[in-house]
Amino acid sequence: MTTRRNFVLGAGAATLAAASSFPRPLRAQPKEKVVVSWLPIMQSFAYYVALEQKLFEKRGIEIESVRFQAPNQIIDSLVSGRADAGAPGAAAGIAVIAETQFPGTFKVFGLQGGGIKVNRINDALIVANNSPIATFADLKGKSLGHLPGIQWRTLSRYMVRKAGLDPDKDVRLVELAVGLQVQAVIAGTVDATLSLEPVGSIAVALGEAKRAITNPMSMAVYDPFYSGVSLLTTKFITERPKVAKAFVEALDEATIMAEKNYTSLRTILPAYTAVKPDQVAIVAQPYLRPWAELNETDLTSYQTFVNVFRSEGALKQDFDIKPFILKPSDLS
């Protein structure tokens, strides 16, 4: 220590002046951690883009990404406080049910789905190539697979009922995780599935199954149809509004990128979904709506979706979705 001290004190004035002119190294600013729950479906595509393009990192956010296989698991993670946000593709209906049970828990800041008029596929009735099933009415005495949880069970019941069948007597409903649906149809474990993308695209790519109906939900409920939402917990918004705002901005940027540059960006799909590299080119593009562009058509679609839940008894009270949508003032 003495030798080093003497060396510094004995340095010439010019040396000290030069040394003092060097800028001090900047300490890296700690990143804000955000825990995000997500499903490996096409509705989550903007989230994949945001991760790949490092849009969160650019805003000082460190993402802890938690993957689930069932929609209800995402909502459970948010209600319990184990996650701060639900990536695009969180269950739109289950979110509303949870909000009625635990008022003030969420805010929605994006919608994801598909539609006939916009030529985007969100869902399909999937059957084996040799199946005679062409409509939901053809499911009498047969089995229909769907995603686990109340959202797709409710929608499946609605579609069966709308076809003139009794969902409690005429059709056997079977819960199946995303990754099991195509093989279940091919193997004959179920006669059909009501599936979200990329299940339909994978089924077509394998050559052993097909879409008997494309976008049945847009036909029966509203066109366009959104079954997915982007979610923030109000706890996250209240405690860290600047971080929440940056998170929303990152996903809005990614959503716009995904919409404009889908063809070039979809090569990332195998890293996040069951899509294989040789299937990428045939995977249908989802219809993704950023927070900044939500309009009356979008809100009417979501409200109509919620009304289906009310009519099917999954929702015990009327629910107005407009207060449920994130407002700029929520982030101030």
Side-chain angles (χ1 to χ4, degrees), residues 175-190:
E175 295 193 348
L176 291 169
V178 175
L180 302 177
Q181 293 183 3
V182 174
Q183 291 305 320
V185 168
I186 293 173
T189 307
V190 294

Side-chain angles (χ1 to χ4, degrees), residues 3-328:
T3 303
R4 179 176 175 80
R5 183 172 182 275
N6 288 342
F7 174 79
V8 172
L9 290 176
T15 303
L16 287 172
S20 65
S21 69
F22 290 136
R24 293 183 179 181
L26 296 175
R27 291 184 179 180
Q29 294 297 315
K31 285 185 167 57
E32 288 279 357
K33 181 179 175 181
V34 177
V35 181
V36 182
S37 300
W38 64 284
L39 275 179
I41 56 177
M42 287 305 297
Q43 291 180 359
S44 304
F45 185 59
Y47 180 60
Y48 314 151
V49 171
L51 291 173
E52 292 291 320
Q53 299 294 321
K54 301 188 182 306
L55 301 183
F56 298 118
E57 289 182 34
K58 291 175 183 176
R59 291 170 170 82
I61 297 173
E62 176 188 349
I63 296 292
E64 180 179 329
S65 196
V66 184
R67 173 173 169 164
F68 291 103
Q69 288 293 334
N72 56 296
Q73 293 172 330
I74 289 180
I75 305 304
D76 287 344
S77 72
L78 297 169
V79 170
S80 66
R82 291 179 287 120
D84 303 303
I94 302 177
V96 168
I97 292 173
E99 181 69 13
T100 61
Q101 295 174 348
F102 306 98
T105 299
F106 306 112
K107 288 293 182 180
V108 167
F109 68 95
L111 297 171
Q112 304 84 39
I116 298 164
K117 293 176 183 177
V118 295
N119 195 29
R120 302 287 181 82
I121 300 176
N122 177 67
D123 48 83
L125 181 66
I126 308 298
V127 300
N129 279 346
N130 60 356
S131 172
I133 296 171
T135 69
F136 281 87
D138 296 330
L139 289 169
K140 186 170 184 177
K142 302 186 183 299
S143 55
L144 175 66
H146 59 81
L147 273 169
I150 193 170
Q151 173 154 316
W152 285 95
R153 176 163 289 265
T154 299
L155 292 174
S156 296
R157 290 175 60 86
Y158 176 77
M159 295 303 291
V160 167
R161 197 188 310 279
K162 197 170 180 65
L165 304 179
D166 185 336
D168 293 314
K169 298 177 181 179
D170 295 328
V171 181
R172 181 170 62 92
L173 299 180
V174 181
E175 295 193 348
L176 291 169
V178 175
L180 302 177
Q181 293 183 3
V182 174
Q183 291 305 320
V185 168
I186 293 173
T189 307
V190 294
D191 296 295
T193 60
L194 177 56
S195 299
L196 283 172
E197 280 295 315
V199 174
S201 293
I202 293 172
V204 172
L206 291 174
E208 297 181 66
K210 62 185 179 182
R211 298 183 183 97
I213 307 175
T214 300
N215 282 332
M217 304 313 303
S218 290
M219 297 177 186
V221 181
Y222 199 88
D223 186 19
F225 175 76
Y226 305 107
S227 56
V229 293
S230 308
L231 290 172
L232 297 177
T233 65
T234 51
K235 181 176 184 293
F236 176 31
I237 296 170
T238 302
E239 294 180 355
R240 296 186 292 165
K242 291 183 179 179
V243 181
K245 182 179 180 182
F247 181 82
V248 171
E249 289 173 348
L251 268 177
D252 258 21
E253 182 180 352
T255 301
I256 293 168
M257 290 174 66
E259 277 288 303
K260 291 182 177 179
N261 304 303
Y262 175 71
T263 301
S264 60
L265 292 171
R266 63 184 174 184
T267 55
I268 67 177
L269 287 173
Y272 298 93
T273 70
V275 175
K276 293 180 170 43
D278 62 350
Q279 299 170 340
V280 166
I282 56 90
V283 177
Q285 180 176 358
Y287 188 45
L288 310 176
R289 301 293 292 150
W291 179 52
E293 296 179 8
L294 293 181
N295 57 36
E296 282 303 313
T297 297
D298 299 326
L299 299 184
T300 300
S301 174
Y302 193 11
Q303 185 66 63
T304 306
F305 172 94
V306 170
N307 294 346
V308 167
F309 266 54
R310 182 76 172 100
S311 69
E312 283 293 316
L315 194 60
K316 304 305 180 185
Q317 62 194 68
D318 292 339
F319 187 89
D320 181 3
I321 59 97
K322 288 189 175 180
F324 196 39
I325 306 299
L326 183 71
K327 300 185 295 294

